[in-house]
Amino acid sequence: MKDSYKISDEELIRRFQAGDEAAFEEIVHRYSNRLMNFAYRFVFDMEEAEDIVQDTFLKVYQNRFAYKEIAKFSTWIYTITANLSKTILRKRRNRKLFSFSRLGPNDKDMDYPSKDRTPLSHIEEKFNKHTIQKAILRLPEHFRTTIILRDIQELSYEEISNIINAPLGTVKSRINRARLRLQEELQELRGE
Amino acid sequence: MISCYQFKTFMSGYIDKDISFQKRKCFEEHLDACPQCQKLYRSIVATKTNMANFPEVSVSENFLNNLQNKILAERNARIQAGTSRGFALKRIPSFAYGFTAALLAVIIGFYMLEFQPNTRPPQTPPKLVQEKIRPKPSIPNYEQSNPAMTTPGQLANSESARDSIADTPEPSHNIDPNFQNKIKTVKKAY
């Protein structure tokens, strides 16, 4: 995800810190959908995802002076969203709500045939996005965060390392293990 | 040639093109030779492609309005919390507490020192000055004198000496009120 804006995010937050409210609106405009995608893939609920994104911006608004230009602004805002998403998941787990992650391998009623079938490989045809989403939700939190940031948000290893506050080597091995684990979950969901 | 375990361990590096050209060659050799790893590799790549093409979700139309309302509500709540309590302890800077504590400690210390009972030892004049003020009484040598061998004259002398000892006041540690004057006279004598 490359930014092609004239004013950098860091410049915008600097202006916002100086009292320019329009800069904050620009930040919201730039990041709302990106963060929404991340939060939605994390919690798989539109309303909760939107709440997370709103809370993220509220935190940015309230703690604008906490941001120091030692890290990228995107890293900072993604860290807030990731933390809020994890909090939501924990709350949900405490309430013991029903979620897709508790579905067994036989619960295949939510699978639907893919409409955009392409003459690619057999495996590509078999998997549809919904199954993958379900498999993502079955991953542990730390695997889920890294795989969403890498394969859906397409962030670099360095950015992920800053967001999850882990060394680069840890990030690389975690992404690898997350991908392997995702395959296991997919196989289980397909009943293989 | 690398093993299946090595391939699985470093597969993401190969997929993300995060390994050297030499290692890449080794991976490709293994992929050509191992159908199981080939299947796993293809599966992971397909999933990755699928995930990258996930449909974009976007925020609702009212998102910005809701956010603005949330920010306003938060701000009002803060203002109300501040005004509802006329005197908010949180608003007092932390250094003020420290300063007050230090001031109290100084005041208490001052009063304790001021009103405590006088336990200091009384000041006694220096030895040399004492000697000048009060001449030593001549004490006869009792050890050498044997009462059986003493003459009546000597006995009378010794008795007078004993009286003189009895008359001399016990050296006290009380402050002599004329102590300063006596020092002056001694200094003059010198």
Side-chain angles (χ1 to χ4, degrees):
Chain A
M1 295 218 176
K2 299 263 164 73
D3 296 330
S4 55
Y5 299 106
K6 279 183 183 176
I7 304 169
S8 69
D9 297 338
E10 289 71 28
E11 175 60 30
L12 276 178
I13 187 73
R14 208 179 301 125
R15 285 185 190 184
F16 179 46
Q17 284 171 339
D20 185 0
E21 296 269 333
F24 177 70
E25 274 187 36
E26 177 60 24
I27 289 169
V28 174
H29 175 71
R30 280 186 194 183
Y31 278 93
S32 53
N33 283 340
R34 255 194 270 181
L35 297 179
M36 182 68 188
N37 269 297
F38 173 68
Y40 176 70
R41 297 297 164 204
F42 209 95
V43 296
F44 202 39
D45 184 289
M46 285 294 276
E47 269 183 46
E48 274 184 335
E50 195 158 307
D51 278 345
I52 289 167
V53 180
Q54 282 198 352
D55 286 348
T56 304
F57 287 120
L58 188 66
K59 276 194 183 291
V60 170
Y61 191 90
Q62 287 171 342
N63 306 309
R64 70 195 92 158
F65 299 109
Y67 171 75
K68 303 276 179 280
E69 228 184 292
I70 44 171
K72 277 176 79 177
F73 177 75
S74 59
T75 307
W76 187 57
I77 202 164
Y78 266 112
T79 311
I80 297 171
T81 316
N83 289 338
L84 286 169
S85 305
K86 282 176 195 169
T87 311
I88 289 280
L89 278 189
R90 263 169 230 148
K91 275 183 190 170
R92 195 193 278 179
R93 209 176 298 144
N94 289 343
R95 277 184 268 142
K96 291 186 177 174
L97 278 174
F98 177 83
S99 73
F100 282 113
S101 58
R102 289 194 180 83
L103 287 175
N106 298 325
D107 301 309
K108 295 176 81 177
D109 52 330
M110 289 300 287
D111 291 340
Y112 56 90
S114 176
K115 285 172 188 170
D116 50 353
R117 282 183 178 231
T118 50
L120 291 172
S121 71
H122 176 65
I123 302 160
E124 272 179 315
E125 282 175 1
K126 228 175 175 183
F127 291 133
N128 58 56
K129 292 172 177 72
H130 202 90
T131 319
I132 296 172
Q133 177 64 65
K134 273 160 69 177
I136 291 170
L137 289 173
R138 289 165 72 122
L139 293 176
E141 261 177 38
H142 59 293
F143 283 162
R144 200 187 302 188
T145 314
T146 44
I147 207 158
I148 292 172
L149 290 172
R150 178 67 199 164
D151 290 344
I152 299 175
Q153 300 285 301
E154 296 177 324
L155 298 184
S156 68
Y157 284 143
E158 286 78 14
E159 278 176 300
I160 298 168
S161 160
N162 287 327
I163 289 166
I164 65 169
N165 197 21
L168 205 60
T170 311
V171 171
K172 286 179 184 178
S173 82
R174 202 176 282 180
I175 287 168
N176 194 59
R177 283 186 291 144
R179 282 172 178 167
L180 290 170
R181 180 74 181 268
L182 188 69
Q183 291 309 308
E184 287 170 21
E185 297 294 342
L186 282 167
Q187 279 180 358
E188 211 179 307
L189 279 171
R190 279 162 39 211
E192 282 179 5
Chain B
M1 185 89 158
I2 56 167
S3 65
C4 288
Y5 175 78
Q6 283 175 313
F7 182 82
K8 275 185 185 175
T9 310
F10 301 103
M11 190 169 34
S12 278
Y14 177 69
I15 293 167
D16 294 333
K17 293 168 186 163
D18 192 47
I19 50 167
S20 64
F21 180 76
Q22 202 73 29
K23 277 185 182 173
R24 207 170 169 76
K25 278 267 218 182
C26 294
F27 269 84
E28 276 160 10
E29 276 174 25
H30 181 83
L31 263 180
D32 288 339
C34 181
Q36 274 191 330
C37 287
Q38 204 174 55
K39 192 185 168 194
L40 181 70
Y41 167 73
R42 279 185 184 167
S43 177
I44 288 175
V45 170
T47 313
K48 191 179 173 325
T49 317
N50 255 325
M51 283 162 77
N53 295 323
F54 266 163
E56 292 270 315
V57 286
S58 47
V59 292
S60 64
E61 285 177 8
N62 298 326
F63 179 81
L64 203 62
N65 283 337
N66 291 342
L67 179 65
Q68 278 170 343
N69 289 339
K70 222 172 191 177
I71 289 168
L72 279 175
E74 190 73 21
R75 197 188 284 171
N76 288 342
R78 276 191 181 188
I79 292 164
Q80 275 191 341
T83 50
S84 62
R85 284 174 292 159
F87 178 74
L89 282 172
K90 274 184 181 177
R91 275 188 280 171
I92 299 171
S94 54
F95 69 84
Y97 292 112
F99 179 74
T100 315
L103 194 68
L104 276 170
V106 167
I107 291 166
I108 291 166
F110 176 76
Y111 274 98
M112 279 173 74
L113 285 171
E114 192 68 20
F115 295 108
Q116 71 176 355
N118 194 5
T119 52
R120 278 190 296 179
Q123 281 185 333
T124 49
K127 259 187 182 178
L128 182 71
V129 179
Q130 266 185 338
E131 281 166 10
K132 288 288 170 189
I133 294 166
R134 201 184 317 114
K136 271 187 182 174
S138 57
I139 303 166
N141 193 358
Y142 294 109
E143 285 175 3
Q144 285 178 357
S145 63
N146 187 352
M149 297 292 286
T150 48
T151 57
Q154 281 176 323
L155 196 66
N157 280 341
S158 67
E159 276 179 357
S160 66
R162 201 177 299 147
D163 290 342
S164 71
I165 290 164
D167 289 342
T168 51
E170 283 288 315
S172 69
H173 292 291
N174 292 335
I175 299 165
D176 190 350
N178 292 325
F179 169 66
Q180 289 293 336
N181 291 336
K182 281 173 184 174
I183 290 170
K184 279 177 189 170
T185 49
V186 169
K187 278 183 180 172
K188 274 179 189 172
Y190 274 99

